[in-house]
């Protein structure tokens, strides 16, 4: 029995003792709050989006053990980019933002619930962050115990995305692939979607938020703010208001706001405590 269940059982026993119930009776627990009889109050959701400079980054490293990077602790502390990440930055097992062929990457959603245009395959293939122009390369980190060094090429295997490779492994998440494996066209399009909409932290966040809010119920009361603007100036981009149905004024306004967040618009610092304090007073 968990602590929570134990406390519930204890509270129930105390109540029974207080009221001296002569016989146990079967009763349906109340489905509404005991102090309120308004069961359909719309929920309020206030979003604070991190707009600090780190949202410009194209890496997200969780393991910063100095020996794995062959760097002193000071060079891997916090959110610094390790200078020895030549291969690690291209492996999703180490860099959580790197292209992962096991994931399906969709475009963001518009205010009306439709997906935006897919990423340009030509642009992505000719401008890969890993590999050479025309041939993106994907690295896979070999997980062992103890772990292999992140800075050594021998710690990875790699593959390329190119017309000469006709098929690619298909994971359960790759519902965009119509057969038992993925074709070059399917793999290159998935890569292009990642390249345009998921390659930076800020793009990954705004794409995910567009998809989540697109599926949110119309009854939701919704507002939003960026962390630095809220913390420094107290500015809330949009106060609580009804979200409304697809293509509503609120959804359009939120979509426009997301479009204004991109690399280059971020601000130095992550004042999360002050932002939460100001939001709590809203």
């Amino acid at each position: 029995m968990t602590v929570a269940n134990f406390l519930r059982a204890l509270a129930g026993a105390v109540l029974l003792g207080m009221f001296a119930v002569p016989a146990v009776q079967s009763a349906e627990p109340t489905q509404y709050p005991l102090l309120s009889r308004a069961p359909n109050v719309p929920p309020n959701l206030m979003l604070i989006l991190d707009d600090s400079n780190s949202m410009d980054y194209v890496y997200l490293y969780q393991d910063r053990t100095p020996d794995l990077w062959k760097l002193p602790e000071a060079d891997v502390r916090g959110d610094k980019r390790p200078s020895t990440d030549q291969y690690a930055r291209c492996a999703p097992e180490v860099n959580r933002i790197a292209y992962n062929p096991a994931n399906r990457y969709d475009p963001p959603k518009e205010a009306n619930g439709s997906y935006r245009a897919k990423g340009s395959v030509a642009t992505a293939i000719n401008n890969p962050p890993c590999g050479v122009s025309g041939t993106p390369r994907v690295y896979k980190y070999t997980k062992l115990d103890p772990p292999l060094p992140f800075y050594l090429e021998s710690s990875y295997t790699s593959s390329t995305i190119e017309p000469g490779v006709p098929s690619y492994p298909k994971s359960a998440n790759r519902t965009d692939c119509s057969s038992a494996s993925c074709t070059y066209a399917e793999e290159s399009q998935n890569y292009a979607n990642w390249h345009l909409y998921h390659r930076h932290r800020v793009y990954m966040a705004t794409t995910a938020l567009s998809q989540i809010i697109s599926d949110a119920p119309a009854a939701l009361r919704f507002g939003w703010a960026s962390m630095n603007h809220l913390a420094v100036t107290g500015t809330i981009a949009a106060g609580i208001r009804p979200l409304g149905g697809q293509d509503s004024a609120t959804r359009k306004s939120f979509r426009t706001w997301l479009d204004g967040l991109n690399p280059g618009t971020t601000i130095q610092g992550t004042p999360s405590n002050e932002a939460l304090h100001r939001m709590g007073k809203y």
Side-chain angles (χ1 to χ4, degrees):
M1 176 181 290
T2 66
V3 173
N5 288 337
F6 170 77
L7 291 175
R8 291 191 188 98
L10 179 61
V14 170
L15 289 172
L16 285 173
M18 289 174 61
F19 291 102
V21 178
V24 177
Q25 297 180 353
S26 175
E28 177 70 21
T30 179
Q31 300 301 305
Y32 304 111
L34 296 177
L35 300 180
S36 172
R37 294 298 180 183
N40 296 316
V41 176
N44 291 337
L45 174 63
M46 199 67 193
L47 168 72
I48 303 176
L49 181 61
D50 185 1
D51 62 341
S52 61
N53 281 351
S54 63
M55 294 296 282
D56 286 351
Y57 298 167
V58 294
Y59 62 88
L60 186 61
Y61 297 125
Q62 293 183 320
D63 192 338
R64 292 180 170 273
T65 305
D67 289 346
L68 293 178
W69 297 98
K70 199 178 181 181
L71 291 171
E73 183 179 356
D75 290 351
V76 296
R77 186 183 300 134
D79 209 14
K80 291 182 178 179
R81 180 173 181 174
S83 59
T84 56
D85 71 343
Q86 178 182 357
Y87 308 108
R89 66 186 178 88
C90 305
E93 297 81 11
V94 185
N95 176 15
R96 296 308 178 92
I97 299 181
Y99 177 71
N100 187 345
N103 293 338
R104 172 174 174 166
Y105 295 95
D106 287 322
K109 284 192 171 183
E110 301 283 9
N112 62 8
S114 64
Y115 282 104
R116 284 204 163 168
K118 296 179 180 179
S120 166
V121 172
T123 298
I125 295 297
N126 291 323
N127 298 277
C130 302
V132 297
S133 179
T135 310
R137 185 169 291 276
V138 180
Y139 285 81
K140 182 178 178 61
Y141 175 67
T142 303
K143 292 185 177 181
L144 295 177
D145 188 14
L148 298 175
F150 294 148
Y151 62 89
L152 292 178
E153 185 177 11
S154 59
S155 298
Y156 305 86
T157 57
S158 69
S159 58
T160 57
I161 302 174
E162 55 183 317
V165 180
S167 64
Y168 302 79
K170 176 185 177 181
S171 71
N173 294 328
R174 291 296 303 276
T175 54
D176 56 309
C177 299
S178 57
S179 300
S181 60
C182 299
T183 65
Y184 169 74
E186 292 166 336
E187 190 66 23
S188 59
Q189 184 60 69
N190 197 51
Y191 182 82
N193 291 344
W194 167 82
H195 190 275
L196 181 59
Y197 296 121
H198 300 263
R199 187 162 51 99
H200 289 262
R201 292 186 188 183
V202 66
Y203 288 158
M204 182 172 62
T206 56
T207 295
L209 284 170
S210 75
Q211 296 170 355
I212 292 169
I213 296 302
S214 175
D215 295 334
L220 177 71
R221 289 167 49 80
F222 183 51
W224 57 89
S226 57
M227 181 182 293
N228 274 279
H229 287 90
L230 176 60
V232 176
T233 68
T235 302
I236 291 177
I240 287 290
R241 65 198 60 196
L243 180 61
Q246 297 291 359
D247 222 24
S248 68
T250 300
R251 291 179 188 267
K252 289 179 179 178
S253 181
F254 181 62
R255 179 65 263 181
T256 299
W257 182 72
L258 289 179
D259 287 338
L261 300 170
N262 51 69
T265 65
T266 55
I267 302 173
Q268 180 66 39
T270 310
S272 54
N273 288 344
E274 180 61 25
L276 285 172
H277 174 71
R278 287 182 179 270
M279 186 62 77
K281 296 172 70 175
Y282 165 67

